[in-house]
Amino acid sequence: MTIIPNLFFVAVGSLILLQIAIAPAGRQLQAGDPGPWVLPAFLAVLMILLGVIQILRDLIRRRSSEALSTRSQDAIKSSQADMSDAGMTMLPAPNWRARIIFSSALLGYVALFTTLGFTLSTAAFLVIGISAFTGLRARALAVAAVVAIVASLCLGWLLAGVIGVSLPGVMLLL
C-alpha cells in the first residue's frame, strides 16, 4: 500500500474544510441552527483522521515487515494458507482509485450542496461513491441509484421532517 492515496485523502479532507471555512453561505441562520455545513465538515474531519491513521498504519506495517525475518514471513504465509484451507479469506487492500473517486465526489458534494440542495447532491454523491467501490456495471449502477434515491429521501425526511434541521433543497414525500 502506498502513502500517496492516503495523502490525497487527507488533502481532499483539508480542502473541504478550507472551502467550508471561506464560504459564507449558510452561516447566518436562526440561533441554534447549525446550518448545512455541519455534515460536510464532520465528514471532512473524518476523512482527515482516517487518512492519517492509514498513513501511520502503513508506516508501522512497513517498519515491522522490514524487521520480520524470512522465517517469520514463512510462518505468516503458512497461516494464510491454513486460513485459505479453512474457507476464510483475507480482505483485499483498499482500492486507491476508488478512494480518489470517493474523495473527489465528497469534494463535489460540499461544493454543490447549497446549489443543488440536500436531496439531489446527496443522491449524486451516493451514486458516485457506491459505484466507485462496486464498479460501473449496469446492474451495480441501477442498484446504486435506487439505494441513493431512497437513502437521500429518507435521510432528508428524517432530518428536515422529523428533527427539524433546516437544509436547502430537501424533497419531502409527504
Side-chain angles (χ1 to χ4, degrees):
M1 175 107 189
T2 62
I3 293 178
I4 302 291
N6 293 321
L7 286 174
F8 181 78
F9 208 63
V10 171
V12 168
S14 301
L15 286 174
I16 291 170
L17 281 180
L18 179 66
Q19 195 269 340
I20 290 170
I22 62 175
R27 297 242 175 82
Q28 287 77 27
L29 298 172
Q30 300 170 358
D33 187 3
W37 59 273
V38 173
L39 180 62
F42 172 75
L43 293 176
V45 169
L46 191 64
M47 281 179 67
I48 293 168
L49 289 175
L50 292 176
V52 168
I53 289 170
Q54 281 296 107
I55 290 170
L56 293 175
R57 285 179 59 193
D58 190 40
L59 291 173
I60 291 169
R61 192 176 301 140
R62 280 185 188 182
R63 195 171 287 159
S64 66
S65 69
E66 291 171 358
L68 285 176
S69 67
T70 56
R71 186 175 177 191
S72 299
Q73 290 176 355
D74 290 340
I76 290 172
K77 287 180 184 175
S78 69
S79 69
Q80 288 175 344
D82 292 341
M83 286 177 55
S84 169
D85 292 341
M88 299 185 314
T89 58
M90 299 278 293
L91 291 175
N95 183 355
W96 66 268
R97 182 177 173 266
R99 283 185 178 182
I100 291 173
I101 292 171
F102 185 78
S103 300
S104 301
L106 186 59
L107 186 61
Y109 177 69
V110 170
L112 297 173
F113 188 83
T114 55
T115 306
L116 293 178
F118 175 80
T119 305
L120 292 177
S121 61
T122 303
F125 167 70
L126 288 174
V127 167
I128 294 169
I130 292 170
S131 63
F133 290 104
T134 61
L136 293 175
R137 296 178 308 272
R139 180 175 170 86
L141 281 174
V143 169
V146 169
V147 167
I149 291 169
V150 169
S152 63
L153 287 173
C154 290
L155 190 59
W157 170 78
L158 178 69
L159 291 173
V162 176
I163 298 175
V165 176
S166 174
L167 293 171
V170 175
M171 295 179 193
L172 297 176
L173 297 176
L174 301 174

